[in-house]
């Protein structure tokens, strides 16, 4: 037996001694295993079957009402030195962290089954892919990991070949927010998560491994692990360009990754190919370009707002073989969420009858029927726009990197960075309004560099330096842009229609890449003029377009001074190149 399988067996036994499960089940990823687990979860109430005629093999899971999102305040990066985790992470010394969380794990699986989930992040034969093993007492986690990763026998075989794997230990525990921690030990390639059964807290291959641990490894190994979608845009000439885009949680990655082109674009022959909707691993190729893979195999997407109008590709992939978490249901047992034009929810995400406002135990309650962070889990193969190149072992070459966030004011629809260093500053100084994807206040603007604030497994100052380091003489790096679909007018409504129409902005971006579109230079970067964007058939007013493309100098002076203070908050570790770049923009704004 290989040494990695020895190590795996030994670790499984060690964890079993600590957690005391009644049974250990090694997951092979087979259909029969999946069917048996579904039956089990139906019998325990972990899953509720949805309408078998309209939603065959679709299930609803209701999580504990106090366990509905990622918990950033309970998430730790435990490096030996606190400076290595940085001010962007919560930190505890590794020995102390292990002791604290192991005390919670002690005996926690008594009476339960511990599942051993070998998984591979990325195509099973890609040199860029990495494997892990999650030990969990949650069958819901197993079912989700089966959709979200390449899980089971093939992953185990690769672990044997690779000789190493990331260790993830998870228990739902008591689902008590006071006994909940998500801890990362990057130097030990280890994750320990206790007390939550939800998404990014519990599916350890996703944010914990593919972002926090992977970003740490990527720094020493010369690649990048990013919170980015990857999309292919095929123009009418049949050429496909790949774009990676980082938007914070619940800010539009899934939607952009599978957009359907506006009518005129469809007629002209434009096509959109989905590679990934949440995570991107990219690495410099022999040709100097950055090559990207999607380490995931499925989508764990935001349900509210998903409709035939906003994201028809998503809606179409959700009518069979999907898991819905914390959505509402209709009288005929179909899943429902805010933003769907049809259907009437009768039961809310907590299982409470909606109309029953006379029931002293249940109502009246006026909140949303579906939780704002309710989600669907579905295999990427069910997406009509899923690209055959998503399985390419070498990945796809990137032409552009796009940063963006939710900014109701100031930030224009799109601008282009002058060069790589400016682009890194644009990413490093991103800010966005917070969303329901994490517990805490919603709608508060905060800095979220590269959309990685909750996910970077090391000090942001070192991360910015790592980004800058890709600018080598032989590199053929993608151009960097910033977008904002979320500008609002004085009436409080979004100025830009968004969704499929975002292709109009991507068209300009790709024309800038091949040098066929004009831009006007401003201190914050290069912007299209109104005539450079195709707005045919949009019905958007000239005033609105001007507002979307304006650079408010006074507002940007204030923003740049805040960006300066933000860079300074990382102290002497902040790369000088970023400070110089910030200063030169300040000078240009004052000039
Ligand atoms: P995570 O999975 O949390 O990382 O989020 P994400 O970035 O994939 O976000 P997603 O695409 O699921 O979008 C989140 C919410 O933003 C949904 O309610 C969407 O309907 C909405 N949204 C997405 N794109 C647009 C857009 O272009 N304009 C507007 N106004 N809303 C959008
Ligand atoms: C996010 O919050 O960015 C997500 C969902 O993609 S979760 O997997 O819960 O982190
Ligand atoms: Mn995400």
């Amino acid at each position: 037996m290989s040494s990695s399988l020895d190590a795996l067996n030994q670790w499984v036994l060690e964890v079993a001694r600590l957690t005391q499960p009644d049974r250990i089940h090694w997951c092979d990823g087979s259909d029969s295993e999946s069917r048996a687990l579904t039956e089990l979860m139906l019998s325990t109430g972990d899953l509720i079957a949805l309408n078998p005629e309209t939603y065959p093999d679709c299930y609803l899971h209701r999580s504990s009402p106090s366990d509905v999102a990622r918990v950033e305040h309970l998430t730790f990066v435990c490096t030996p030195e606190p400076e290595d985790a940085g001010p962007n992470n919560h930190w505890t010394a590794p020995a102390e962290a292990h002791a604290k969380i192991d005390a919670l794990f002690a005996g926690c699986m008594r009476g339960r089954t511990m599942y051993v989930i070998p998984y591979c992040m990325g195509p099973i034969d890609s040199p860029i892919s990495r494997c892990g093993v999650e030990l969990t007492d949650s069958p819901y986690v197993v079912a989700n990991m089966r959709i979200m990763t390449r899980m089971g026998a093939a992953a185990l075989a690769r672990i044997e070949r690779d000789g190493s794997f990331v260790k993830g230990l998870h228990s739902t525990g008591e689902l008590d927010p006071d006994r909940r921690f998500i801890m990362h030990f990057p130097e030990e390639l280890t994750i320990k998560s206790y007390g939550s059964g939800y998404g990014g807290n519990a599916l350890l291959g996703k944010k914990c491994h593919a972002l926090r641990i992977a970003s740490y490894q990527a720094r020493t190994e010369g690649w990048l692990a990013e919170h980015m979608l990857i999309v292919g845009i095929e123009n009418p000439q049949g050429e496909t360009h790949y774009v990676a885009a980082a938007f914070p949680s619940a800010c539009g990655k899934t939607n952009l990754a599978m957009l359907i082109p506006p009518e005129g674009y469809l007629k002209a022959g434009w096509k959109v190919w989905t590679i990934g909707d949440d995570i991107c691993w990219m690495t410099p190729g022999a040709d100097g370009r950055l090559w990207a893979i999607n380490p995931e195999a499925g989508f764990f997407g935001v349900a509210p707002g998903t409709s035939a109008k906003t994201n028809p590709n998503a809606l179409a992939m959700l009518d069979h073989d999907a898991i819905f978490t914390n959505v509402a249901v209709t009288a005929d047992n179909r899943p429902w969420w805010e933003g769907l034009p049809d259907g009437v929810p009768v039961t809310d995400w907590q299982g409470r009858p909606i109309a029953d406002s006379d029931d002293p135990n249940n109502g009246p309650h006026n909140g949303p029927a579906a939780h704002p962070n309710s989600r669907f889990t579905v295999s990427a193969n069910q997406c009509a726009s899923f690209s055959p190149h998503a399985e390419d072992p070498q990945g796809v070459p990137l032409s552009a990197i796009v940063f963006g966030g939710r900014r109701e004011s100031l930030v224009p629809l799109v601008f282009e960075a002058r060069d790589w260093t400016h682009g890194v500053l644009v990413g490093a100084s991103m800010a966005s309004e917070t969303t329901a994807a994490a517990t805490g206040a919603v709608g508060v603007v905060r800095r979220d560099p590269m959309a990685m604030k909750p996910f970077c497994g090391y000090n942001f100052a070192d991360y910015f330096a790592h980004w800058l380091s890709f600018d080598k003489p032989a590199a053929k790096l993608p151009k960097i842009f910033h977008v904002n679909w979320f500008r609002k007018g004085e009436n409080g409504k979004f100025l830009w229609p968004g969704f499929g129409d975002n292709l109009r902005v991507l068209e300009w971006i790709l024309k800038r890449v091949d040098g066929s579109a004009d831009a006007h230079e401003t201190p914050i970067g290069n912007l299209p003029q109104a005539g450079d964007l195709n707005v045919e058939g949009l019905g958007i007013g000239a005033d609105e377009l001007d507002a979307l493309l304006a650079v408010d100098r006074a507002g940007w002076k204030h923003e740049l001074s805040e960006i300066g203070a933000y860079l300074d908050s990382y102290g002497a570790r902040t790369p000088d190149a970023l400070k110089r770049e910030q200063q030169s923009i300040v000078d240009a704004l004052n000039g």
Side-chain angles (χ1 to χ4, degrees):
M1 191 180 286
S2 86
S3 63
S4 53
L5 294 192
D6 277 346
L8 172 57
N9 280 313
Q10 210 182 328
W11 173 59
V12 168
L13 290 177
E14 229 170 77
V15 169
R17 266 198 300 277
L18 175 67
T19 59
Q20 303 277 309
D22 279 14
R23 289 165 297 274
I24 299 178
H25 175 98
W26 288 71
C27 298
D28 60 15
S30 64
D31 290 343
S32 58
E33 174 181 84
S34 169
R35 274 195 300 274
L37 267 174
T38 300
E39 287 306 318
L40 174 76
M41 286 189 279
L42 287 169
S43 74
T44 57
D46 271 342
L47 289 185
I48 297 165
L50 291 165
N51 188 318
E53 259 112 61
T54 45
Y55 285 84
D57 299 305
C58 287
Y59 302 95
L60 167 66
H61 172 76
R62 293 195 183 113
S63 72
S64 164
S66 63
D67 183 34
V68 292
R70 283 182 294 98
V71 282
E72 296 178 7
H73 59 298
L74 302 173
T75 300
F76 289 76
V77 171
C78 307
T79 46
E81 299 300 327
E83 295 75 27
D84 291 329
N88 46 303
N89 281 302
H90 299 293
W91 177 86
T92 301
E96 195 186 316
H98 279 300
K100 198 165 174 180
I101 201 161
D102 285 355
L104 299 177
F105 276 114
C108 74
M109 296 190 191
R110 266 184 213 123
R112 312 184 60 131
T113 301
M114 179 168 88
Y115 298 93
V116 181
I117 314 172
Y119 63 85
C120 180
M121 300 311 290
I124 210 94
D125 289 320
S126 167
I128 307 172
S129 301
R130 298 297 168 95
C131 292
V133 178
E134 175 165 358
L135 307 183
T136 179
D137 56 8
S138 163
Y140 167 79
V141 165
V142 179
N144 277 271
M145 286 290 283
R146 183 168 193 268
I147 297 173
M148 296 303 296
T149 72
R150 283 93 173 162
M151 177 267 254
L156 192 63
R158 171 148 181 170
I159 287 171
E160 186 169 8
R161 287 200 303 278
D162 283 355
S164 73
F165 61 95
V166 169
K167 296 176 184 163
L169 170 56
H170 169 255
S171 171
T172 50
E174 303 81 3
L175 296 174
D176 174 356
D178 292 329
R179 288 166 58 83
R180 178 176 297 161
F181 292 108
I182 323 296
M183 289 175 161
H184 304 76
F185 305 89
E187 304 218 322
E188 302 164 37
L189 300 185
T190 296
I191 305 153
K192 293 184 177 178
S193 164
Y194 188 89
S196 167
Y198 191 84
N201 300 329
L203 313 177
L204 301 187
K206 197 171 174 60
K207 298 299 164 66
C208 301
H209 177 165
L211 288 179
R212 297 196 191 93
I213 299 285
S215 63
Y216 189 96
Q217 290 183 290
R219 181 193 171 206
T220 52
E221 296 169 3
W223 51 285
L224 288 162
E226 298 298 325
H227 191 204
M228 291 178 174
L229 67 96
I230 310 167
V231 66
I233 311 289
E234 183 178 333
N235 65 21
Q237 293 75 51
E239 300 152 351
T240 303
H241 283 279
Y242 294 93
V243 176
F247 309 150
S249 303
C251 290
K253 290 183 301 300
T254 304
N255 280 266
L256 193 70
M258 55 189 74
L259 75 80
I260 292 193
E263 199 52 45
Y265 282 75
L266 277 178
K267 281 212 186 96
W270 290 81
K271 291 194 184 104
V272 169
W273 298 102
T274 308
I275 302 276
D277 83 326
D278 197 48
I279 302 182
C280 164
W281 285 356
M282 49 198 183
T283 190
D287 60 358
R289 292 191 289 179
L290 281 183
W291 290 74
I293 64 159
N294 169 17
E296 301 192 281
F299 309 120
F300 183 61
V302 176
T306 306
S307 72
K309 211 169 146 220
T310 58
N311 191 350
N313 266 330
L315 203 70
M317 71 186 175
L318 294 177
D319 61 5
H320 67 101
D321 297 279
I323 301 172
F324 296 87
T325 300
N326 294 338
V327 299
V329 285
T330 62
D332 59 349
N333 211 20
R334 285 179 293 134
W336 192 92
W337 49 80
E338 276 70 18
L340 282 177
D342 308 317
V344 178
V346 297
T347 309
D348 80 356
W349 64 276
Q350 297 188 58
R352 302 177 298 190
I354 283 170
D356 216 359
S357 55
D358 292 335
D359 178 342
N361 294 318
N362 274 315
H365 48 268
N366 305 314
H371 189 277
N373 192 35
S374 55
R375 300 244 168 192
F376 52 78
T377 320
V378 68
S379 166
N381 292 316
Q382 291 184 203
C383 178
S385 59
F386 193 52
S387 167
H389 295 292
E391 293 290 337
D392 286 359
Q394 77 278 17
V396 295
L398 295 180
S399 298
I401 287 177
V402 179
F403 296 116
R406 281 179 191 262
R407 293 295 295 270
E408 65 171 44
S409 60
L410 186 69
V411 181
L413 178 64
V414 57
F415 62 93
E416 175 197 54
R418 283 177 284 277
D419 56 26
W420 186 257
T421 304
H422 179 216
V424 174
L425 178 69
V426 168
S429 57
M430 258 168 74
S432 190
E433 293 144 23
T434 52
T435 66
T439 52
V442 168
V444 182
V445 176
R446 69 160 181 184
R447 297 281 151 212
D448 191 348
M450 279 86 171
M452 285 286 278
K453 168 72 186 73
F455 309 120
C456 183
Y458 62 103
N459 191 320
F460 257 151
D462 301 340
Y463 171 78
F464 301 151
H466 183 49
W467 262 85
L468 290 169
S469 76
F470 286 84
D471 194 4
K472 298 199 171 79
K476 294 196 186 69
L477 294 168
K479 268 181 171 267
I480 297 179
F481 298 81
H482 191 285
V483 300
N484 178 20
W485 315 139
F486 298 95
R487 266 297 278 283
K488 286 183 180 166
E490 267 148 31
N491 58 5
K493 294 215 170 104
F494 291 119
L495 283 172
W496 180 250
F499 303 105
D501 288 311
N502 293 335
L503 182 59
R504 300 169 188 273
V505 175
L506 290 177
E507 182 188 15
W508 180 79
I509 286 176
L510 291 176
K511 281 187 170 163
R512 289 297 296 167
V513 167
D514 74 17
S516 64
D518 281 336
H520 95 108
E521 294 176 13
T522 81
I524 67 161
N526 305 327
L527 275 79
Q529 275 168 329
D532 299 328
L533 277 183
N534 175 4
V535 292
E536 214 180 290
L538 260 195
I540 190 169
D543 288 353
E544 287 163 326
L545 201 56
D546 283 348
L548 283 164
L549 298 176
V551 176
D552 161 12
R553 281 195 175 233
W556 276 102
K557 280 186 197 173
H558 179 71
E559 182 80 2
L560 262 293
S561 96
E562 292 199 338
I563 291 168
Y566 181 70
L567 293 177
D568 286 342
S569 73
Y570 291 89
R573 272 168 110 121
T574 306
D576 286 336
L578 286 192
K579 292 198 217 173
R580 280 197 300 273
E581 193 69 35
Q582 182 266 354
Q583 188 56 49
S584 78
I585 299 171
V586 171
D587 294 345
L589 284 165
N590 288 329

